[in-house]
Amino acid sequence: MIQPAADTTRIIPVFMVVPPHALLLDIAGPMEVLRYANQAQTQARFELHYLGAAQRQTTSIGLALDGLEPLPESLPPGSMVVVSGSISAPPDAGVEKERRVLSRWLSSAVTSDTMLVTICSGALLAGAAGLLEGHACTSHSDCLADLRKLAPTAQVLENRLYVEDRQRFSSAGISTGVDLMLHIVARLTTPQAALSAARKMVVYLRRSGHDPQISPWLSGRNHIHPAIHRVQDAIMDDPAADWSVERLADIACLSGRHLSRLFREHSGLSLIDYINLIRVTLARDIISQSRLDLENVAARTGFASARHLRRIWSQHFDQPPSLHRFST
């Protein structure tokens, strides 16, 4: 388990493994997500390290990365190891030797306690290290056949942005490393922190039909309209408030009619449906973490009564609130 620091902020050591001819976006994209996540919340702090079999590596675009840390003998408990992909290059004995060094190090240093994240063809290094055996995983479409050979007992999945299987996380090609790291940030901190990072980077929260389900807190946020985001931020900050169209229109600096149209256009939901989604998600979280009765939960989440909460609940969840109840 990741241990909390004295100030209650969890310290999560993150080690980016930089192979020869690394794809620069595989490194910069996910690490920028973590940098922004550090700015957006205080629950966890990601401490970033960059490792290599050599102190200097030339990346896919010819830019050299210098000052890489040597491979440590062991990793702190609760570490995250991120393995960058790399471009295909003509056979080179020195490069192949470095890749073997990286695979051997991964095999010895990554334990069941380690969160292993592979970006693009980085899965091949993890596969060669034996770290994907018995796990579902993915990689760039050009690498899937090789990955199946390297990890014969792994379930190599196609047409996936990313795959999560216990402590093994893998993404497909290049830009999907950002999608995967946003998912990890939401998992380790809060969905709001992931949303904040996505907005700073001006990227969408992408999912395919088979990817892990998006958190309800992030539903309807797959857009870049600033006024709609302001309205959604206000609702998320205080779901129980009396959110009239007029009040939200003031926040958006729009007319009520214009806001209603834009909100549905960009979020895919009506204002009232979005408000109810956020309220019922908060109610679910309270029910799962406390022993409050339904009337008190309804009052804390903006519903008129327990009956009202149950009616909205049935539109979002198959199981009744009692089955989500906190238990010791």
Side-chain angles (χ1 to χ4, degrees), residues 3-143:
Q3 298 298 318
D7 63 355
T8 74
T9 297
R10 291 179 297 157
I11 305 301
I12 304 178
V14 180
F15 297 91
M16 169 61 79
V17 177
V18 182
H21 305 300
L23 285 156
L24 192 57
L25 188 56
D26 284 5
I27 301 169
M31 295 299 100
E32 283 290 356
V33 171
L34 296 181
R35 183 176 73 86
Y36 282 122
N38 281 341
Q39 298 173 3
Q41 48 77 46
T42 59
Q43 291 176 280
R45 183 166 73 252
F46 299 96
E47 291 191 341
L48 309 183
H49 304 266
Y50 300 86
L51 310 178
Q55 186 181 30
R56 180 185 176 92
Q57 293 291 358
T58 300
T59 66
S60 56
I61 60 171
L63 181 69
L65 298 180
D66 209 345
L68 299 176
E69 299 177 32
L71 302 170
E73 289 188 9
S74 60
L75 297 169
S79 293
M80 181 194 307
V81 172
V82 186
V83 185
S84 167
S86 57
I87 60 172
S88 299
D92 182 287
V95 168
E96 290 306 311
K97 180 180 179 181
E98 286 190 31
R99 291 183 65 84
R100 288 194 297 271
V101 167
L102 292 177
S103 288
R104 286 197 297 268
W105 176 79
L106 287 168
S107 181
S108 64
V110 173
T111 68
S112 59
D113 178 66
T114 309
M115 177 179 287
L116 177 65
V117 181
T118 63
I119 311 298
C120 192
S121 61
L124 299 180
L125 282 173
L131 296 172
L132 299 178
E133 300 296 344
H135 289 79
C137 58
T138 195
S139 184
H140 192 283
S141 58
D142 292 345
C143 302

Side-chain angles (χ1 to χ4, degrees), residues 238-241 282 286 290 292 294-303:
D238 189 5
L282 177 60
I286 292 174
S290 76
L292 288 176
L294 219 55
E295 285 291 350
N296 273 303
V297 174
R300 291 181 179 219
T301 54
F303 291 104

